[in-house]
Amino acid sequence: EMLLLSIPLNDTLRDPRSFAFYYSVIEVASRYVDVGILHGLKGGPLTGRFLKRLGDEGLGADSLNRIRFIGTQSNQFWVRDFGPLFGLGIEGDLVVFDTIYRPLSDEQEAWAMAPTDIDSKFVENDDNGFRDYLALQRRSEVSPLYVAKFLRQHYQISCDVVRPPLHLQGGDYITDGSGRFFISEDTVLANGGRLKDVERILGIYFGAKELFVLNALPGMAAKHLDLLVCHAKPNTFIMTEAPSPRE
C-alpha cells in the first residue's frame, strides 16, 4: 500500500545528489503505491518546497498526489533502524512492531563528540554530553508511534503498536519470506548472548521458523546485514563486494 521513506528535507533540498537519489526512488515507487515521507517536525514548512521541486524536475500530478508527509521527532534517514516494522496480528489486522534500537557503538561516539572525553576530570561536562545523546536517541525511537497514528487517521484502518522485548537493529535482519530469518551475532550479543531467547521471540512475534546467525564484520564497522546481502528471490542472495582499502 505504501513505501515508507525517511528524508531530512532541508539537507536534501540543499544537496543535488541527495535530491536526485530520492527523486529516482519516488518517481518509480509512486507509479504503483503511495509514498510516505517521514521528516522531522521542523521540516514541516519544507514539504511544499519539496513537492514543488519534485514537480519542477518532472514528477507528474498523479505521482505527486500519492505522496504523504508524516512529521516525526526524528530527522534520521535510517528508516529501517528507527522506523517501524510491519506485520499482521492474529486476526489479520495491521501491526506496527517497535523493537528496541540502541546501537552498541553509539555511547563511544557520543563521548567522542562531547566537549570532553571519557577520561575527562570534569564529569559534569561528560554527563551533559551524554544526556544530549540520550535525547537524540529518544526522539529517533518514537517514529513508529507517529507512523501508526498516521495510518489510523489517513487510511482509517486498525493499527496497533507492539513492542517485542528485543533489541533489533533494523538493518541487521533479513528474511526470505518463508520463515527463514537471518541475523548477525551482534544482535545475539545485544540481547545478552542468549540465542534461545532470541529464537523464541523471533518465532512468537515475527513467525521465524528457522534462524541463521552470521558472523558480524570485525572492529568498529557497521554490523548490519543489509549492508552486505540482499534477498532477491528464493534461495538467491545478492552480496556486496567490499571496496579496496585506500592507500
Side-chain angles (χ1 to χ4, degrees):
E1 295 290 340
M2 183 173 70
L3 172 69
L4 192 63
L5 302 174
S6 186
I7 302 179
L9 295 179
N10 190 42
D11 293 341
T12 301
L13 286 168
R14 291 187 301 179
D15 186 344
R17 293 180 301 173
S18 295
F19 183 86
F21 168 76
Y22 285 118
Y23 178 89
S24 65
V25 175
I26 293 171
E27 194 276 329
V28 173
S30 60
R31 301 175 195 172
Y32 308 99
V33 295
D34 291 348
V35 177
I37 298 178
L38 291 167
H39 63 87
L41 293 178
K42 293 183 179 179
L46 300 175
T47 56
R49 283 179 53 192
F50 190 76
L51 280 177
K52 184 179 184 303
R53 179 83 174 274
L54 291 172
D56 291 344
E57 294 294 329
L59 195 66
D62 289 342
S63 291
L64 289 172
N65 289 332
R66 284 183 174 269
I67 295 176
R68 314 282 183 246
F69 290 101
I70 308 171
T72 75
Q73 292 282 348
S74 173
N75 202 37
Q76 297 277 353
F77 52 78
W78 302 108
V79 67
R80 199 157 188 256
D81 293 315
F82 295 104
L85 306 176
F86 298 100
L88 296 177
I90 296 176
E91 299 180 358
D93 293 336
L94 182 66
V95 172
V96 168
F97 290 113
D98 183 8
T99 56
I100 302 166
Y101 178 63
R102 181 173 170 268
L104 302 181
S105 62
D106 275 11
E107 286 88 345
Q108 296 173 344
E109 294 175 5
W111 291 117
M113 294 171 61
T116 54
D117 58 35
I118 198 167
D119 296 323
S120 170
K121 295 182 175 62
F122 301 99
V123 178
E124 64 276 8
N125 291 341
D126 288 340
D127 287 344
N128 290 335
F130 197 67
R131 279 196 294 270
D132 291 341
Y133 155 75
L134 291 177
L136 173 64
Q137 286 296 99
R138 178 56 189 154
R139 289 197 298 272
S140 299
E141 287 280 5
V142 299
S143 291
L145 290 173
Y146 286 87
V147 173
K149 181 178 180 179
F150 172 84
L151 293 175
R152 287 193 292 266
Q153 292 181 343
H154 185 81
Y155 292 101
Q156 302 297 307
I157 59 175
S158 173
C159 181
D160 291 331
V161 178
V162 176
R163 295 186 175 90
L166 180 71
H167 177 287
L168 181 64
Q169 299 185 27
D172 198 40
Y173 83 94
I174 297 172
T175 177
D176 65 355
S178 65
R180 289 188 291 186
F181 218 87
F182 301 82
I183 61 175
S184 85
E185 59 187 354
D186 199 55
T187 289
V188 179
L189 294 174
N191 288 279
R194 296 181 291 272
L195 178 58
K196 290 298 182 182
D197 289 348
V198 176
E199 285 181 321
R200 184 172 65 253
I201 293 170
L202 289 175
I204 293 172
Y205 287 91
F206 296 92
K209 300 175 182 177
E210 194 172 9
L211 180 63
F212 297 87
V213 181
L214 308 180
N215 295 124
L217 291 176
M220 290 295 291
K223 312 296 184 180
H224 297 189
L225 290 181
D226 64 355
L227 298 176
L228 307 176
V229 295
C230 174
H231 179 254
K233 61 181 182 179
N235 299 316
T236 302
F237 288 84
I238 299 172
M239 298 185 63
T240 59
E241 182 176 351
S244 301
R246 293 182 179 180
E247 298 295 336

